Amino acid sequence: MIQLHEVKNKKELKRFVTFPFTLYKDSKYWVPPIISDEVATLSADKNPAFLNAEARFFLAYKDNNIVGRVAAIVNWTEINEQQVKKMRFGWFDTIDDINVSEALLNKVAEIGNQHKLEYIEGPVGFSNLDKNGALTEGFDHIGTMATWYNHPYYITHFETLGFKTEKEYIESKFAFKNLPVERFMRVNDIILKRFKLKPGSYTKTSEIIPHLDSMFNLFNQTYSKLSTFVPISDPQRDYFKKKFINFINPEYIKFVFDEHDIMVAFAIVLPSFSEALQETKGKLFPFGFLKLLKAKKTSKTALFYLIGVDPHYQNKGVTAVIFNEFHKSFIKFGIETCIRLPELADNLASHQIWKDFDTKIIKRRKTFKKML
């Protein structure tokens, strides 16, 4: 018999966070989160997403053992301001037992009905900057710190329980040596002169911080038309600044400014921490932090996390300026492989950016929807 228990304290929340460590203990592709960071993300007193959202966390037990988990999330900004009557679910993990999945997702549906919402969708987080989507292809590729991993049977469970595909995301990779460098350099010079633009590249974190608010403003502006978009609030900006700043090499953040020093484009790349995170087993101390610091400096794989271009400058070649700057940094750090983190499969504007990179799709993931 499956029993659901709602998480009520920090001790239980830690059990919620660490359940996947048991579920995926034999997987060489699953990448663990940092336990302390994951607990903070799911804590109302730490994560400002809770200022405009609420979440309840449930653990499924069978024979006194944890066999599944789910977060039931209500984003009030999305519901009240955008009029999207969505009940979100995320942090979904389960053993291969359809009864466990059914119990967890029925609880999410129950909460959605209590709030008179129209449908449930997941796996998703609180906002666009959280992880989302269940892996549907690419189970034999190592995960990243920015994505969820799951067993193939998850998809069977969703479909058996009446969920339909809502959105699809793709992840791809390309070899650094395939960057069309000469074209970037040529177009870079033309674009900078034509639009009176200038690139911003940095070597110190302190040089980046003054521009972060402008970057988040541009992020909201750039991504506002996507079907998944929920605006990032000012408190969330501050939270994400603190959360990610230690993981980002300052030379992997690029900005482009106009002649009035207004930001018109940005890009964030992360060094891959996948192997280092597997070695840390979710713990920063005593040696986990050192492993991550080493990966930050020596990883030969770069993850393209976010690219944003002011709508006025889209389709005008501004990304050539960004890639020209990245080429300089990647040469310096010996980057060999580049990975594009999940992008909506129907985001054609984004796909156009990469059309000359000889990319290969390595993973697909989907969110699943069911009407209430």
Side-chain angles (χ1 to χ4, degrees), residues 29 31 131-139 141-150 168-174 274 302-305 338-345 350-351 354 359-366:
Y29 304 114
V31 174
K131 301 174 185 179
N132 58 56
L135 196 63
T136 59
E137 295 179 18
F139 300 99
H141 289 272
I142 192 169
T144 71
M145 66 179 295
T147 56
W148 281 315
Y149 186 82
N150 57 268
E168 183 176 32
Y169 299 81
I170 59 174
E171 297 172 56
S172 57
K173 74 174 182 178
F174 58 92
S274 296
L303 311 177
F304 279 85
Y305 181 52
C338 300
I339 294 178
R340 295 162 56 196
L341 291 175
E343 298 175 311
L344 281 166
S350 177
H351 302 327
W354 307 96
T359 61
K360 176 185 178 182
I361 295 176
I362 56 172
K363 298 178 189 176
R364 294 182 185 271
R365 60 182 65 244
K366 296 178 179 179

Side-chain angles (χ1 to χ4, degrees), residues 164-233:
K164 306 295 183 182
T165 297
E166 174 62 7
K167 300 177 183 72
E168 183 176 32
Y169 299 81
I170 59 174
E171 297 172 56
S172 57
K173 74 174 182 178
F174 58 92
F176 173 61
K177 64 182 181 181
N178 291 342
L179 263 70
V181 181
E182 292 182 1
R183 184 173 71 84
F184 288 148
M185 294 176 67
R186 183 178 68 255
V187 175
N188 172 76
D189 295 340
I190 294 172
I191 297 302
L192 292 179
K193 184 176 181 180
R194 178 181 297 170
F195 298 110
K196 299 180 180 179
L197 302 178
K198 51 190 175 184
S201 294
Y202 311 94
T203 59
K204 298 178 181 179
T205 301
S206 59
E207 297 172 331
I208 295 170
I209 291 176
H211 302 293
L212 292 181
D213 285 340
S214 295
M215 187 195 75
F216 277 107
N217 286 337
L218 187 54
F219 169 82
N220 278 342
Q221 185 180 4
T222 302
Y223 287 81
S224 62
K225 294 183 180 180
L226 294 181
S227 58
T228 58
F229 181 74
V230 179
I232 304 299
S233 67

Side-chain angles (χ1 to χ4, degrees), residues 107-302:
K107 175 56 71 172
V108 176
E110 176 186 318
I111 296 171
N113 283 320
Q114 290 171 357
H115 290 297
K116 296 181 170 52
L117 301 180
E118 296 176 354
Y119 66 95
I120 61 176
E121 182 185 350
V124 295
F126 294 93
S127 74
N128 297 68
L129 291 179
D130 289 313
K131 301 174 185 179
N132 58 56
L135 196 63
T136 59
E137 295 179 18
F139 300 99
D140 57 348
H141 289 272
I142 192 169
T144 71
M145 66 179 295
T147 56
W148 281 315
Y149 186 82
N150 57 268
H151 290 303
Y153 60 76
Y154 284 37
I155 310 307
T156 303
H157 288 198
F158 290 139
E159 293 173 345
T160 300
L161 294 171
F163 284 78
K164 306 295 183 182
T165 297
E166 174 62 7
K167 300 177 183 72
E168 183 176 32
Y169 299 81
I170 59 174
E171 297 172 56
S172 57
K173 74 174 182 178
F174 58 92
F176 173 61
K177 64 182 181 181
N178 291 342
L179 263 70
V181 181
E182 292 182 1
R183 184 173 71 84
F184 288 148
M185 294 176 67
R186 183 178 68 255
V187 175
N188 172 76
D189 295 340
I190 294 172
I191 297 302
L192 292 179
K193 184 176 181 180
R194 178 181 297 170
F195 298 110
K196 299 180 180 179
L197 302 178
K198 51 190 175 184
S201 294
Y202 311 94
T203 59
K204 298 178 181 179
T205 301
S206 59
E207 297 172 331
I208 295 170
I209 291 176
H211 302 293
L212 292 181
D213 285 340
S214 295
M215 187 195 75
F216 277 107
N217 286 337
L218 187 54
F219 169 82
N220 278 342
Q221 185 180 4
T222 302
Y223 287 81
S224 62
K225 294 183 180 180
L226 294 181
S227 58
T228 58
F229 181 74
V230 179
I232 304 299
S233 67
D234 289 344
Q236 283 177 288
R237 295 181 187 194
D238 294 336
Y239 173 75
F240 283 115
K241 289 177 195 176
K242 296 176 182 178
K243 181 176 181 179
F244 287 112
I245 201 66
N246 289 327
F247 290 100
I248 297 176
N249 183 329
E251 296 190 55
Y252 286 178
I253 294 185
K254 307 297 182 184
F255 300 136
V256 181
F257 302 93
D258 68 11
E259 60 182 322
H260 304 294
D261 293 323
I262 296 174
M263 188 182 297
V264 301
F266 72 90
I268 300 175
V269 164
L270 300 171
S272 176
F273 293 99
S274 296
E275 289 84 0
L277 285 168
Q278 288 180 329
E279 292 178 15
T280 67
K281 303 185 185 303
K283 298 177 182 179
L284 282 178
F285 301 100
F287 303 114
F289 183 79
L290 295 176
K291 293 180 184 296
L292 295 175
L293 184 61
K294 180 181 179 181
K296 179 179 177 179
K297 296 178 178 180
T298 64
S299 175
K300 303 305 179 186
T301 299

